[in-house]
């Protein structure tokens, strides 16, 4: 079994002081975890998080970045800036970025390529809306997102990619997708990436995200093609997040 990966997405939560407190409590609970533990924190928390997790296996990342390296772009933040602050990975294409900030597949594609060229690992989020699901368009939507967001990404970079399947309707809604359905969709995504990027299926990691909690995490992790979880609200609570990581650890024994 490949290493399971549990990623916390803090979104716009936690000040620097709260971050320090949280990480100090989390560290002893996930010490020597067999599962990978990544935290996508707000930009302002990257430095403190990276310092506090320096000698641990926990990886710190950002939740977004600019598609350009620099310039007169008020409010933007670049790949070199987050890297110097301590980020090792970046989440790109989250549905909240697409929905509230108008990010297109073309823009996400530029970000993905720039992040890889800069030496970051990438978590690319894809997902369908409820209307698209009801219209039976789930896989065609995901396929288009994968196709457009990964256009021109080299074989070498594609092999480092982590995809997060997050149905838009399941995010923060307490309505999670069924494990069987997620497993089926992950297989389709892996087949598609393998056929377009020439990778073998076992090199492609696909996480599930959307209302994951300690009560349903294990059911997802038991599925062979669910390689980990992207956890929003449940990652804000130290105990809940540690519990999810422990479940992943158990699965890997
Ligand atoms: P949620 O968020 O776990 O709160 O549904 C997941 C995400 O948006 O990454």
């Amino acid at each position: 079994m490949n290493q399971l990966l549990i990623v916390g997405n803090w979104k716009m939560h936690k000040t620097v002081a709260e971050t320090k407190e949280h990480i100090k409590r989390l560290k002893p609970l996930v010490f020597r975890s067999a599962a990978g533990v990544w935290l996508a924190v707000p930009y302002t928390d990257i430095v403190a998080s990276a310092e506090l997790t320096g000698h641990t296996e926990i990886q710190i990342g950002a939740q977004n970045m600019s598609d350009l390296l620099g310039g007169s772009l008020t409010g933007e933040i670049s790949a070199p800036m987050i890297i110097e602050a301590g980020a090792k990975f970046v989440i790109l294409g989250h549905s909240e970025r697409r929905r509230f900030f108008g990010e297109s597949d073309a823009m996400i594609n530029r970000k993905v390529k720039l992040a890889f060229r800069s030496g970051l690992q990438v978590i690319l989020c894809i997902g369908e809306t409820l209307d698209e699901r009801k219209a039976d368009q789930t896989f065609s939507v995901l396929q288009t997102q994968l196709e457009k967001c990964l256009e021109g990404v080299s074989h070498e970079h594609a092999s480092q990619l982590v995809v997060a399947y997050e149905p838009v309707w399941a995010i923060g809604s307490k309505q999670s997708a069924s494990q069987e359905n997620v497993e089926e969709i992950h297989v389709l995504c892996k087949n598609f990436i393998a056929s377009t990027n020439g990778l073998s299926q076992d090199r492609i990691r696909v996480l599930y995200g959307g209302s994951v909690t300690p009560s349903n995490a294990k059911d997802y992790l038991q599925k062979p093609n669910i390689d980990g979880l992207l956890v929003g609200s449940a990652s804000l609570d130290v105990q809940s997040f540690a519990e999810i990581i422990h479940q992943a650890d158990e699965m890997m024994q």
Side-chain angles (χ1 to χ4, degrees):
M1 181 187 219
N2 287 329
Q3 188 192 38
L4 292 168
L5 178 58
I6 307 296
V7 185
N9 176 11
W10 287 4
K11 309 192 180 185
M12 198 171 71
H13 296 286
K14 298 196 190 294
T15 62
V16 175
E18 288 164 347
T19 296
K20 287 180 178 168
E21 173 66 24
H22 181 97
I23 292 182
K24 276 184 197 149
R25 288 177 55 215
L26 180 67
K27 269 202 305 193
L29 298 178
V30 302
F31 182 62
R32 295 227 176 101
S33 149
V37 180
W38 293 10
L39 293 178
V41 302
Y43 297 130
T44 45
D45 297 333
I46 296 176
V47 171
S49 309
E51 275 171 14
L52 282 168
T53 55
H55 299 292
T56 73
E57 300 296 313
I58 302 172
Q59 298 270 21
I60 301 302
Q63 302 165 14
N64 183 33
M65 57 170 238
S66 168
D67 60 338
L68 292 168
L69 278 174
S72 303
L73 296 161
T74 303
E76 281 293 82
I77 195 149
S78 72
M81 291 172 185
I82 59 172
I83 291 171
E84 201 176 307
K88 300 281 187 248
F89 73 93
V90 61
I91 294 180
L92 295 173
H94 191 281
S95 64
E96 287 153 15
R97 298 296 320 168
R98 295 174 188 261
R99 207 148 47 117
F100 304 132
F101 302 93
E103 292 198 10
S104 64
D105 286 327
M107 175 185 260
I108 296 160
N109 175 248
R110 291 195 295 276
K111 293 186 181 196
V112 168
K113 288 191 283 197
L114 182 57
F116 276 132
R117 277 206 307 277
S118 307
L120 288 160
Q121 283 191 277
V122 172
I123 300 180
L124 169 67
C125 297
I126 56 170
E128 83 287 358
T129 63
L130 193 55
D131 285 347
E132 289 162 345
R133 173 166 280 244
K134 283 185 182 154
D136 230 356
Q137 292 168 344
T138 299
F139 193 63
S140 67
V141 167
L142 300 178
Q143 189 168 319
T144 305
Q145 290 175 348
L146 285 171
E147 202 167 23
K148 292 192 171 164
C149 296
L150 295 178
E151 198 185 318
V153 172
S154 71
H155 177 85
E156 186 207 330
H157 287 152
S159 67
Q160 296 158 32
L161 177 77
V162 177
V163 172
Y165 167 54
E166 297 204 306
V168 178
W169 50 271
I171 295 175
S173 66
K174 298 197 169 69
Q175 262 190 300
S176 49
S178 84
Q179 291 81 25
E180 290 68 32
N181 184 233
V182 174
E183 168 72 8
E184 192 184 6
I185 288 172
H186 283 206
V187 171
L188 290 169
C189 290
K190 288 184 182 190
N191 284 341
F192 181 75
I193 300 171
S195 68
T196 49
N197 290 72
L199 291 172
S200 75
Q201 302 236 0
D202 54 3
R203 296 291 300 275
I204 304 163
R205 282 200 283 185
V206 185
L207 316 181
Y208 169 72
S211 298
V212 171
T213 65
S215 329
N216 62 19
K218 199 169 180 176
D219 297 332
Y220 290 109
L221 295 170
Q222 270 164 347
K223 296 287 178 196
N225 287 287
I226 302 181
D227 306 305
L229 301 165
L230 180 51
V231 187
S233 13
S235 73
L236 297 173
D237 178 75
V238 176
Q239 291 298 339
S240 302
F241 192 55
E243 215 176 299
I244 294 172
I245 293 161
H246 294 156
Q247 292 180 17
D249 284 343
E250 269 171 36
M251 306 280 315
M252 289 182 66
Q253 274 161 16

